[in-house]
């Protein structure tokens, strides 16, 4: 990675650390450049606008997220359905401890703020969800092949249902400031969605 690429990545990482807490609208360019230790002109050297910066952050978020999800869902030491349960249990633990990179509703929040005004941002968020759905569906298809799921189940829709249920639980977590929605999600994932005892 070149020096320029490393600096750009550093700015993206700093911006992400702000936006995941404050959202898009409440995060100013001045805050980003202050945290990154660069002059304002340098920000616009790397990014044409705040919106293009948000797209870069969404791509960065997607790459890190898919890496975590894919690694967990490809762990052949566990049955496919248990991998899905494990993925969310790890994320619930991250939220409880407030540490590590968490799989959260970041894309949804950015899209709610500016997706209707900026089509490219909306498209970037859609790509995040399409990649997530593909990873889940691959694991669910493996479960169906091995007899862990009913053959009539639409694995694409089930993948969407799991992801969107998780997103809803996170939105409630943010609104209520307690972890009960995540515990409910975990219970339902094991007992109802995936028929786990």
């Amino acid at each position: 990675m070149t020096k320029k690429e490393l600096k750009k990545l550093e700015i993206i990482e700093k911006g992400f650390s702000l936006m995941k807490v404050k959202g898009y609208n409440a995060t100013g360019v001045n805050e980003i450049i202050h945290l990154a230790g660069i002059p304002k002109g340098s920000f616009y050297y790397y990014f044409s606008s705040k919106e293009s910066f948000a797209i870069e952050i969404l791509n960065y978020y997607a790459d890190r997220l898919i890496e975590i999800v894919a690694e967990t869902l490809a762990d052949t030491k566990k049955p496919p359905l248990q991998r899905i349960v494990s993925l969310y249990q790890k994320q619930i633990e991250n939220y409880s401890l407030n540490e590590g990179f968490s799989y959260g509703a970041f894309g949804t929040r950015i899209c709610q703020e500016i997706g209707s005004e900026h089509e490219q941002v909306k498209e970037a968020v859609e790509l995040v969800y399409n990649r997530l759905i593909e990873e889940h569906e691959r694991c669910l298809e493996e479960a169906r092949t091995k007899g862990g799921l009913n053959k009539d189940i639409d694995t694409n829709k089930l993948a969407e249902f799991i992801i969107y249920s998780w997103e809803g639980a996170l939105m409630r977590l943010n609104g209520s400031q307690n972890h009960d929605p995540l515990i409910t999600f975990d219970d339902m994932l094991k007992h109802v969605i995936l028929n786990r005892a």
Side-chain angles (χ1 to χ4, degrees):
M1 198 176 271
T2 66
K3 193 173 180 181
K4 179 181 175 181
E5 289 169 334
L6 283 170
K7 191 61 187 177
K8 183 177 181 179
L9 178 60
E10 182 188 345
I11 300 166
I12 289 168
E13 288 173 339
K14 301 291 187 187
F16 176 67
S17 72
L18 286 170
M19 280 193 192
K20 73 177 181 179
V21 174
K22 300 179 69 175
Y24 177 87
N25 290 325
T27 302
V29 170
N30 286 338
E31 284 181 282
I32 297 164
I33 63 173
H34 176 74
L35 194 59
I38 58 168
K40 197 165 194 172
S42 292
F43 178 87
Y44 291 106
Y45 170 73
Y46 291 103
F47 312 99
S48 61
S49 64
K50 188 180 171 188
E51 292 76 26
S52 70
F53 180 62
I55 291 167
E56 294 273 7
I57 285 181
L58 285 165
N59 293 335
Y60 164 81
Y61 168 71
D63 289 343
R64 291 196 65 193
L65 174 56
I66 297 303
E67 185 180 336
I68 290 166
V69 171
E71 182 181 353
T72 304
L73 297 187
D75 180 7
T76 55
K77 293 190 288 293
K78 293 179 180 175
L81 297 181
Q82 187 55 50
R83 292 175 219 162
I84 292 175
V85 171
S86 294
L87 170 65
Y88 291 99
Q89 285 177 334
K90 283 181 194 172
Q91 295 311 309
I92 290 168
E93 190 176 326
N94 276 354
Y95 276 96
S96 298
L97 299 173
N98 276 329
E99 39 182 65
F101 179 87
S102 294
Y103 160 21
F106 178 71
T108 299
R109 287 171 50 218
I110 297 297
C111 198
Q112 284 176 335
E113 287 189 80
I114 60 169
S116 60
E117 303 159 33
H118 301 283
E119 190 62 30
Q120 287 181 309
V121 170
K122 186 178 173 184
E123 288 170 5
V125 172
E126 282 301 306
L127 284 174
V128 175
Y129 287 103
N130 288 339
R131 290 173 69 184
L132 272 175
I133 290 164
E134 284 172 13
E135 292 297 334
H136 282 67
E137 187 175 7
R138 190 177 295 118
C139 192
L140 291 167
E141 281 291 340
E142 185 184 339
R144 184 161 68 177
T145 300
K146 292 179 176 178
L149 276 178
N150 189 308
K151 293 195 182 299
D152 295 332
I153 287 178
D154 183 325
T155 53
N156 180 268
K157 286 183 179 175
L158 180 55
E160 287 189 29
F161 183 73
I162 292 168
I163 293 162
Y164 299 153
S165 297
W166 173 247
E167 290 277 313
L170 290 175
M171 297 301 267
R172 283 297 304 135
L173 166 69
N174 290 332
S176 66
Q177 292 299 301
N178 77 59
H179 291 83
D180 289 350
L182 303 190
I183 304 307
T184 299
F185 171 87
D186 183 54
D187 287 345
M188 291 302 98
L189 183 64
K190 288 183 286 190
H191 295 293
V192 178
I193 301 173
L194 300 180
N195 298 315
R196 301 297 287 173

